[in-house]
Amino acid sequence: SVLGGAQAPLLVQYEVLEILAGLDPAAAWYAFNARPPAVALARLDPTAGQKVMGNPDAYFAFSLVVGSNLAQRVAGGYLLSGRWPVVSGSPAAGWLLLSAAASDVADGQAPSIGSPDIRHCFVPADAVTVEDTWHATALRATASNAVSVEDWFVADEFVTSLRGPTTDDRPLYRVPVGIAVQCGVGAVMLGLARAAIDALAVLAAIRFSASRGVVLREIPWIGETIGAAEAKLRAARLFFYESARAVVAAAEQGDVADRVRAEMWAAYFHVEEVAVEVADAAYKAGGVDALLESCPLGGFARDMRGLSQTGQTWGQAKIDVGRVYLGADPTDPRF
């Protein structure tokens, strides 16, 4: 809000993502993708931030991919070059937040995503070449094309590190970066799983099974599937929002302790597991109808699998949940 954009409390952000996902998973993903640039803006020089937010309605795209790109240190900034293979919404973006290994710290070697040797660079849309590569089976409407940049000068004021201090000390910006960003995927998955259950319930009420002579809802195992899905999803949702409220309360007090972080990460990973299970179960219960384009169950199952792919780089955080529960320190710097 300081820079002229919209702002909402963390719980409201999660709730909005959840609602959007039930209406359109791609729209929810677009909304989610605005979060990392927003987190980065809170660590950017305010004057540069005002320039980036010159059009608060412009879409932000981002990529945390490193390894195929480099930020070469030069006087006054960095020369950014490389390719980012998946950048959601890239054709519509006004600005892109692109990550790269910093040559002045990493000697040209690509460090891990959580390393302080990563630079996050804000670049305008005319700095990038968008490639038509997103011919996907899941989340098709996100336009997550590859982009490339060649020797684009990024002034120091447009470069930041997500591990650096914020320029805003309000509670929202004390939320750990990993939780502020990746855990939002859990909210999207909750909304999509709810939509899958609801779609199955609608289908079960009207789809007549000729072989059994009844509508689907009269078949015992269909009812069992929906009942189990409801219980699992509601329990996961309660744990997720309970943990999120604890994070917010801790941030309001000044610091989010490792135990509170562990609860939030545990809730997120649990949502990921349950949501995939629910979407798969709804797809299976939908039978041959789930194969049809007119039935949303197939798309929900594919999109859910696509969302679950985003958690692949957070395996150490999952291990660190157990480490914290056992009294040890987390090892992932993004935790």
Side-chain angles (χ1 to χ4, degrees):
S1 62
V2 171
L3 299 177
Q7 180 173 279
L10 184 67
L11 290 173
V12 173
Q13 293 181 36
Y14 284 165
E15 289 169 347
V16 169
L17 291 173
E18 185 180 2
I19 292 169
L20 280 175
L23 300 171
D24 186 336
W29 189 248
Y30 264 58
F32 167 80
N33 267 271
R35 295 163 60 77
V39 170
L41 280 169
R43 291 163 170 78
L44 202 66
D45 177 89
T47 302
Q50 290 287 355
K51 293 179 181 177
V52 172
M53 288 295 292
N55 178 6
D57 295 324
Y59 179 71
F60 288 108
F62 91 101
S63 175
L64 293 180
V65 171
V66 295
S68 56
N69 34 66
L70 180 68
Q72 179 70 42
R73 185 63 176 163
V74 294
Y78 292 85
L79 276 183
L80 183 66
S81 295
R83 186 176 186 271
W84 292 260
V86 180
V87 186
S88 298
S90 46
W95 286 81
L96 299 89
L97 178 66
L98 301 176
S99 305
S103 66
D104 55 328
V105 183
D107 295 326
Q109 300 300 311
S112 66
I113 287 177
S115 168
D117 299 343
I118 298 297
R119 295 293 178 267
H120 305 287
C121 305
F122 277 97
V123 298
D126 57 2
V128 309
T129 299
V130 179
E131 305 172 29
D132 182 16
T133 56
W134 191 245
H135 304 282
T137 58
L139 298 169
R140 295 178 183 177
T142 60
S144 300
N145 294 291
V147 306
S148 58
V149 175
E150 184 176 355
D151 291 336
W152 183 269
F153 176 72
V154 185
D156 281 330
E157 57 263 34
F158 291 95
V159 180
T160 188
S161 168
L162 293 183
R163 294 188 63 196
T166 66
T167 57
D168 192 324
D169 190 45
R170 286 177 293 175
L172 180 61
Y173 301 100
R174 296 179 198 146
V175 175
V177 172
I179 290 173
V181 176
Q182 184 61 27
C183 290
V185 178
V188 178
M189 297 180 85
L190 283 171
L192 188 52
R194 164 52 54 198
I197 293 175
D198 292 347
L200 176 58
V202 170
L203 179 66
I206 62 175
R207 179 68 162 88
F208 184 79
S209 172
S211 62
R212 294 178 174 86
V214 295
V215 292
L216 294 184
R217 69 183 178 190
E218 300 300 329
I219 300 173
W221 76 268
I222 297 292
E224 182 181 4
T225 295
I226 289 184
E230 280 283 353
K232 292 174 182 177
L233 184 60
R234 290 190 182 193
R237 187 179 187 277
L238 283 171
F239 184 23
F240 183 84
Y241 280 102
E242 174 189 279
S243 301
R245 284 191 290 271
V247 168
V248 170
E252 290 174 346
Q253 294 299 315
D255 183 53
V256 183
D258 285 346
R259 180 66 186 222
V260 177
R261 300 183 188 207
E263 293 282 343
M264 187 71 246
W265 280 111
Y268 159 69
F269 290 123
H270 183 57
V271 163
E272 181 181 54
E273 181 178 332
V274 168
V276 169
E277 182 181 347
V278 166
D280 284 352
Y283 174 76
K284 180 181 178 181
V288 68
D289 290 82
L291 302 175
L292 304 177
E293 290 184 351
S294 59
C295 179
L297 290 173
F300 289 160
R302 289 191 300 271
D303 288 347
M304 189 70 82
R305 289 289 179 174
L307 290 169
S308 69
Q309 295 288 74
T310 68
Q312 289 188 1
T313 61
W314 295 90
Q316 188 56 49
K318 195 170 188 177
I319 294 170
D320 283 342
V321 170
R323 286 181 56 84
V324 172
Y325 282 156
L326 293 171
D329 293 329
T331 57
D332 189 328
R334 302 168 296 171
F335 192 85

